[in-house]
Amino acid sequence: MELILSKINGTNADLNYVALKESIIEKLSATCQEAEVIILNNFPVSVSSQATVDFIVLLNIPKKDRSWYRVEIANDRHYVKNQIIAVSIVNEYTNSNIKIDNGLVEIDGAYVDFEDNANKIKWGLTNYLSSNCNLDRKYITVHPITWIKNNSSSFTTNNILIDKQFTYDKVEEIIKLNHYFKWPGYKEWYASDVLFESQIRQIFERASKDSEDGYITKKKIDRIQNKLDDASTKAYKNIGQKLVEVNGKAGTGKSSDILKWMLRLSVEGRKGVFLTYNHVLVYDISSQIQSFTNQLSPDDRQGKQPTTTYTIYGYFYRVAKKIGVLLLLTEKRIKELTATLDSRWVQIEAYFNSVRNTENDISLAKLLMYVQSKWNIAEGTKREAILFIQHLESLKRLPNQEETAKEFRIYRNDKVDKLSNLESSNIFLKDYHKVLERILQAASNLDAFLSDLDVVSKYDLLENVMALQPNILEKDGSGKINLEKLKTRYKKGISGFRAGRIAYIDEAQDCHPLERDILYSIFGSNNIVIANGGKEQLIRYSQLCDWHISRSQKIEYHKYQKRRKSYRMKPAIAALANHIAAWYEIELDIEPIDTEDHGSIFIDFSKSNEKHIESVKKLKTIGERQGCTNYESLLLLTSAESNSKNEFAIEQETSVSVNEYDNIVKDAGKNKNEWSLITEAQSKIGDTFFWNTTGNVDKRSLSPPGSLSVRSIYYESCRGIEAWSVMCFNLDEFFEQKTLEKDADNYLLESLFDQLTPDKRRAMYAATWVLMAITRSMENCYIQLQNTESSLSKAILSFKEKYPKYVTSLGL
């Protein structure tokens, strides 16, 4: 056969291209005349913050007579047209002892979970190809593979290859284990070889543009690669020995320091996980990691250890789910709904059997008609039968009783799994601090955890999420789990979260003590690095988290105290932040960077989208002239309630949750309005892509923003990110909304309980949010206000009188 194998973007040092080509020829040559393989090496864009796409294999089999290739499994087969195979390489375990233990990957005595990586890669790349490269989402099927390089073991699971070589026979073993093996990588490519070629080039050209580094990113990478000063070197050397704390004011570079240390240590052989508070910052950090990685030499890139980024909620959700905490806390509801499903199946199975007795080999279409119009049964059971028939749709006809029962088990397990995820999400959000208590108990007092929740009796509940197998049960037929085996399972699972990593915690002052204690229990205090700010940086909680003590034990630490000087804010921005802070009696005292160019504050009371779009264009141009990408040039901020018909109507009470003090509180459902400015700006500024998370956008379908993107987000999501110019829309309205929140009454409740009036406390709380937004700016801050008489407007107009040289007209 003729096989064309080509590479784009250099060579991957881990991949043996000759062995891969030979394995493809061996598999395809018997029936296939011609095939093309393109390998996109060192994919330059971050599509996931938890895993890196190291290379993508694109296989295309042209449409020719008597030329085909077929993949077969026991009861199905599929003719391969093309495939998209996205590969993430894990090369830290080349000499480790690896085995597959009941479906779990056990590495050096700990269970290490890679399943999440596969899902993140699959949907992350799908999102990127759809939203950035104009491929039709419904026709895309990505096969994700985590390739764990190991010199002595060879295993394959649904998404994992453990082997020293990457070859196509192993790839096919993995693909055949997944239900989506039958679909092409991209359906439209089979109709046109020309389209395949053009779109592959388009994908990489777009990825190359999205990964371009602008002025700000280049400066950050330079800072990471530059020699450390004496104070930073001393802190760096203490990582792994004791808790390392970077302490400083907002904008002084705390987050940059811990990121810099994580990346430098990753090249020296230490894995890291970076925890922060919002998804936008997670994307920002993962983008910086990708930019750093793109600049490494092939040898350094091959030796670099993994660095992953999570929101702190996302990380604890993952821990709670994998050790069964979420299911154990929602057991009653899950049991209730599962019992209903099982009782309905008894009735459904009996009805199907009665139909078989009168009409053998009945079609599903006819069976559906019978259920809908002839079966007199409770509506819930009837609806369940219809759903199950829809599940059987690909079979066309009702199978025999045994096969039908087998299909129902698959259907039931899928239902229960989805139900578990739903209930788990609810309990995690609604009773977060109780979930944290149970995680901490599992990590620090396993015997009490297992006893309190009677875990040995919960095999059926935990079977799927913890991948339990029947050999863990007692041999007496009681159905209970063997206690010692269960302890071993938990210890290995918890060890897998540690797995030699250093944890880097951003905004650590705003952690809950339970979060702190869990992280100490999992990683050890010597393997934790924190960026710690003051009380003016509190957003999540009303009290500063003390990292120097944990469960009555003092923690040995090394503190690296930052100077007050901001590493990013020019004088105008720092002066505005200090003025607003002083206006509301908040201690801030930020010192700006040393520069002759002071930056500018733009104040706008206009409510016209047309004028706002002209301001967007102007500020975007300012950033471009500085050498910034779209991503770096501009950040647009608004509040979720802006343009709401009901002024400040944020209290649509939908449900309850339980706070950290075991108070049952009403949840406020926020009415998120579409931001019309973004729709209009997108149509009028043709060379810009607005990465928009406002309104009713489905964030799950968004890929991380690339360098071509201008971020448009809510104020609540801006913590930790920055841009050359930041546009704050409806800022005084946002301030007023924050004063009305219930949490405003709790601001600094312990430290200033007898010094503040309720109104002043609320204003201080709201001002901290405003300061967070303003300090995202590096050179220019555009502030759009609704009402000249509002409290915040008066503060900003006072600033204009005091510092007229800092306030500039856009000249519109």
Side-chain angles (χ1 to χ4, degrees):
M1 68 169 289
E2 179 184 356
L3 175 64
I4 301 171
L5 188 148
S6 54
K7 298 180 287 184
I8 298 178
N9 199 32
T11 299
N12 191 299
D14 289 289
L15 190 58
N16 184 327
Y17 294 87
V18 174
L20 176 59
K21 183 174 182 178
E22 289 176 351
S23 68
I24 295 172
I25 292 173
E26 184 177 346
K27 271 287 182 182
L28 274 59
S29 60
T31 58
C32 185
Q33 298 176 20
E34 183 182 330
E36 181 178 9
V37 174
I38 297 175
I39 300 175
L40 302 181
N41 291 299
N42 306 319
F43 196 65
V45 175
S46 172
V47 299
S48 165
S49 54
Q50 280 78 57
T52 301
V53 177
D54 290 290
F55 62 92
I56 299 173
V57 178
L58 298 146
L59 169 65
N60 185 48
I61 297 177
K63 201 172 185 179
K64 292 182 178 295
D65 290 338
R66 294 186 297 279
S67 179
W68 51 270
Y69 180 64
R70 187 168 63 204
V71 175
E72 298 189 16
I73 59 175
N75 58 0
D76 202 358
R77 63 184 185 179
H78 166 62
Y79 289 91
V80 174
K81 300 176 177 66
N82 52 69
Q83 292 174 329
I84 302 173
I85 302 161
V87 184
S88 176
I89 302 173
V90 179
N91 54 22
E92 62 195 278
Y93 301 118
T94 52
N95 297 310
S96 293
N97 179 23
I98 303 180
K99 61 182 180 179
I100 302 296
D101 182 8
N102 295 322
L104 299 169
V105 181
E106 183 177 338
I107 303 178
D108 297 331
Y111 291 134
V112 183
D113 176 37
F114 297 98
E115 192 64 32
D116 285 347
N117 289 9
N119 286 328
K120 297 293 185 183
I121 289 173
K122 178 178 178 62
W123 298 115
L125 185 56
T126 298
N127 292 340
Y128 184 79
L129 296 176
S130 172
S131 61
N132 294 48
C133 304
N134 299 317
L135 272 65
D136 191 327
R137 184 184 181 85
K138 66 177 177 287
Y139 295 145
I140 302 170
T141 300
V142 173
H143 295 285
I145 294 178
T146 300
W147 174 24
I148 306 170
K149 294 188 68 177
N150 186 261
N151 292 329
S152 56
S153 301
S154 182
F155 300 104
T156 54
T157 69
N158 288 52
N159 303 114
I160 295 172
L161 167 62
I162 302 171
D163 206 294
K164 61 183 177 182
Q165 293 272 34
F166 184 89
T167 54
Y168 189 73
D169 54 322
K170 298 292 184 183
V171 169
E172 189 174 286
E173 284 181 20
I174 294 169
I175 289 175
K176 286 162 66 173
L177 294 172
N178 294 279
H179 71 278
Y180 47 84
F181 86 97
K182 62 187 70 175
W183 294 306
Y186 190 58
K187 180 183 176 183
E188 300 300 283
W189 289 341
Y190 190 57
S192 171
D193 295 333
V194 174
L195 183 65
F196 172 77
E197 182 67 28
S198 65
Q199 288 192 323
I200 295 308
R201 295 291 169 182
Q202 176 186 325
I203 289 167
F204 196 77
E205 286 172 7
R206 176 60 191 253
S208 298
K209 291 178 181 177
D210 270 328
S211 64
E212 287 178 359
D213 294 333
Y215 172 76
I216 298 173
T217 302
K218 289 174 182 176
K219 296 285 282 186
K220 288 179 179 179
I221 301 303
D222 287 345
R223 288 187 72 237
I224 291 169
Q225 295 174 337
N226 284 346
K227 184 178 178 180
L228 302 175
D229 60 31
D230 290 343
S232 187
T233 298
K234 190 172 181 180
Y236 184 74
K237 288 181 177 179
N238 274 284
I239 297 174
Q241 308 300 316
K242 61 182 73 172
L243 170 70
V244 173
E245 172 185 353
V246 187
N247 195 276
K249 294 285 185 178
T252 55
K254 303 184 300 297
S255 300
S256 294
D257 280 322
I258 65 174
L259 176 61
K260 172 172 61 179
W261 294 339
M262 181 175 77
L263 292 176
R264 291 171 77 106
L265 279 172
S266 73
V267 177
E268 296 175 15
R270 292 301 304 269
K271 295 175 285 186
V273 56
F274 194 104
L275 302 182
T276 187
Y277 287 109
N278 66 70
H279 288 287
V280 182
L281 183 54
V282 163
Y283 290 150
D284 191 72
I285 296 296
S286 59
S287 176
Q288 291 180 54
I289 292 172
Q290 186 68 54
S291 293
F292 172 81
T293 304
N294 289 345
Q295 295 190 23
L296 293 176
S297 68
D299 287 343
D300 283 343
R301 185 171 181 138
Q302 187 179 21
K304 180 185 177 297
Q305 294 302 299
T307 49
T308 54
T309 314
Y310 291 89
T311 63
I312 199 159
Y313 285 125
Y315 183 80
F316 285 121
Y317 179 83
R318 181 169 173 258
V319 174
K321 182 178 179 182
K322 294 300 181 184
I323 64 176
V325 167
L326 298 179
L327 287 181
L328 291 165
L329 293 181
T330 57
E331 177 185 16
K332 182 178 179 181
R333 180 62 173 157
I334 293 170
K335 275 189 172 181
E336 175 187 309
L337 292 170
T338 305
T340 299
L341 177 59
D342 288 341
S343 67
R344 285 172 175 168
W345 168 241
V346 173
Q347 296 172 294
I348 293 168
E349 185 176 39
Y351 182 72
F352 283 8
N353 287 339
S354 69
V355 172
R356 281 194 196 92
N357 290 335
T358 57
E359 281 187 68
N360 192 29
D361 196 32
I362 187 173
S363 72
L364 290 178
K366 194 171 185 180
L367 177 63
L368 176 63
M369 184 268 291
Y370 284 173
V371 169
Q372 290 171 330
S373 59
K374 293 190 174 185
W375 191 22
N376 185 18
I377 196 71
E379 185 172 353
T381 303
K382 181 175 288 196
R383 286 175 177 267
E384 199 69 63
I386 293 169
L387 289 169
F388 181 54
I389 292 170
Q390 292 168 348
H391 166 79
L392 297 173
E393 190 173 28
S394 63
L395 302 179
K396 305 300 182 185
R397 312 194 77 78
L398 180 66
N400 63 38
Q401 185 174 350
E402 183 181 349
E403 284 299 315
T404 302
K406 180 181 176 182
E407 284 296 330
F408 179 76
R409 286 194 294 273
I410 295 171
Y411 171 83
R412 178 191 186 277
N413 288 341
D414 181 61
K415 289 267 189 179
V416 172
D417 188 51
K418 286 182 169 62
L419 171 65
S420 299
N421 286 335
L422 174 64
E423 290 299 309
S424 295
S425 298
N426 286 338
I427 195 69
F428 183 80
L429 294 172
K430 303 297 185 183
D431 202 359
Y432 177 63
H433 299 92
K434 178 58 69 176
V435 172
L436 292 178
E437 284 182 17
R438 290 303 189 186
I439 297 175
L440 179 59
Q441 189 181 35
S444 60
N445 190 352
L446 183 58
D447 286 334
F449 172 80
L450 299 177
S451 174
D452 286 355
L453 296 174
D454 189 24
V455 182
V456 295
S457 300
K458 308 297 171 61
Y459 176 82
D460 289 342
L461 182 70
L462 301 175
E463 177 184 5
N464 287 334
V465 73
M466 293 185 67
L468 301 180
Q469 300 295 320
N471 60 7
I472 201 174
L473 294 172
E474 295 282 9
K475 296 180 179 179
D476 60 7
S478 64
K480 291 192 173 184
I481 305 172
N482 179 277
L483 181 59
E484 292 307 313
K485 290 182 179 178
L486 184 62
K487 286 183 182 179
T488 299
R489 172 69 182 82
Y490 267 95
K491 288 175 182 175
K492 287 183 177 181
I494 293 170
S495 295
F497 289 106
R498 183 184 306 115
R501 294 179 178 85
I502 302 289
Y504 300 82
I505 320 300
D506 196 24
E507 306 288 0
Q509 78 282 346
D510 225 348
C511 277
H512 190 276
L514 285 170
E515 294 171 336
R516 172 200 65 199
D517 294 344
I518 292 169
L519 293 169
Y520 279 153
S521 295
I522 291 176
F523 293 96
S525 59
N526 60 313
N527 290 319
I528 289 181
V529 180
I530 63 174
N532 212 1
K535 61 186 179 183
E536 76 280 356
Q537 296 174 62
L538 286 175
I539 294 294
R540 293 176 74 222
Y541 294 107
S542 59
Q543 298 180 48
L544 291 168
C545 184
D546 185 357
W547 285 80
H548 300 156
I549 191 166
S550 175
R551 290 179 288 168
S552 302
Q553 298 293 315
K554 290 185 177 180
I555 301 299
E556 187 179 6
Y557 66 94
H558 174 86
K559 181 185 285 189
Y560 171 35
Q561 182 65 49
K562 300 285 291 184
R563 296 171 57 197
R564 288 180 179 266
K565 186 177 292 293
S566 168
Y567 82 100
R568 70 165 180 257
M569 281 180 270
K570 291 194 172 181
I573 310 299
L576 176 62
N578 287 331
H579 182 82
I580 291 174
W583 187 272
Y584 292 103
E585 300 181 27
I586 296 172
E587 182 185 349
L588 191 64
D589 297 330
I590 292 175
E591 294 181 22
I593 58 174
D594 294 323
T595 175
E596 294 181 1
D597 179 13
H598 54 65
S600 298
I601 307 300
F602 305 98
I603 303 172
D604 184 5
F605 284 94
S606 165
K607 298 179 182 179
S608 163
N609 274 355
E610 186 175 342
K611 290 185 178 180
H612 297 163
I613 290 169
E614 291 304 313
S615 299
V616 170
K617 290 179 181 178
K618 186 84 171 182
L619 290 170
K620 178 174 168 289
T621 300
I622 290 173
E624 289 172 347
R625 289 171 179 168
Q626 187 64 35
C628 296
T629 61
N630 288 349
Y631 181 88
E632 298 169 336
S633 292
L634 203 52
L635 171 67
L636 277 62
L637 302 175
T638 191
S639 62
E641 299 78 26
S642 292
N643 304 315
S644 175
K645 292 180 181 179
N646 299 316
E647 189 174 11
F648 310 141
I650 65 174
E651 293 293 329
Q652 182 186 355
E653 293 167 346
T654 56
S655 60
V656 299
S657 61
V658 182
N659 67 16
E660 67 268 33
Y661 303 106
D662 285 339
N663 303 127
I664 300 174
V665 297
K666 292 182 178 179
D667 275 351
K670 292 190 175 182
N671 179 26
K672 295 183 177 181
N673 296 282
E674 299 296 331
W675 196 2
S676 62
L677 171 65
I678 303 305
T679 304
E680 292 184 34
Q682 186 69 74
S683 65
K684 294 181 179 179
I685 310 177
D687 61 342
T688 301
F689 172 74
F690 285 87
W691 188 84
N692 179 31
T693 63
T694 66
N696 297 307
V697 171
D698 182 1
K699 296 179 184 178
R700 295 170 299 178
S701 66
L702 287 176
S703 64
S707 64
L708 300 178
S709 304
V710 168
R711 293 160 290 176
S712 49
I713 63 177
Y714 290 131
Y715 284 109
E716 286 89 346
S717 298
C718 76
R719 187 174 195 169
I721 61 178
E722 62 191 7
W724 196 253
S725 300
V726 173
M727 303 185 74
C728 300
F729 290 89
N730 312 294
L731 188 60
D732 55 340
E733 192 174 273
F734 173 65
F735 175 92
E736 296 300 329
Q737 289 159 1
K738 284 299 174 185
T739 65
L740 298 177
E741 288 187 355
K742 296 282 178 28
D743 282 346
D745 284 327
N746 299 319
Y747 181 70
L748 297 179
L749 193 58
E750 293 297 317
S751 56
L752 297 172
F753 69 96
D754 61 346
Q755 300 173 37
L756 298 179
T757 65
D759 286 346
K760 183 175 287 188
R761 191 183 301 278
R762 285 173 173 270
M764 291 177 72
Y765 170 81
T768 62
W769 284 93
V770 168
L771 290 170
M772 182 180 70
I774 287 171
T775 55
R776 302 306 96 206
S777 308
M778 299 180 74
E779 182 181 73
N780 305 301
C781 186
Y782 166 96
I783 297 174
Q784 191 260 332
L785 301 165
Q786 297 289 323
N787 179 7
T788 56
E789 297 301 313
S790 67
S791 171
L792 186 67
S793 292
K794 290 177 180 178
I796 290 173
L797 291 174
S798 167
F799 171 82
K800 182 179 180 180
E801 289 183 17
K802 186 175 181 180
Y803 300 101
K805 68 175 183 178
Y806 290 156
V807 179
T808 306
S809 169
L810 278 168
L812 301 176

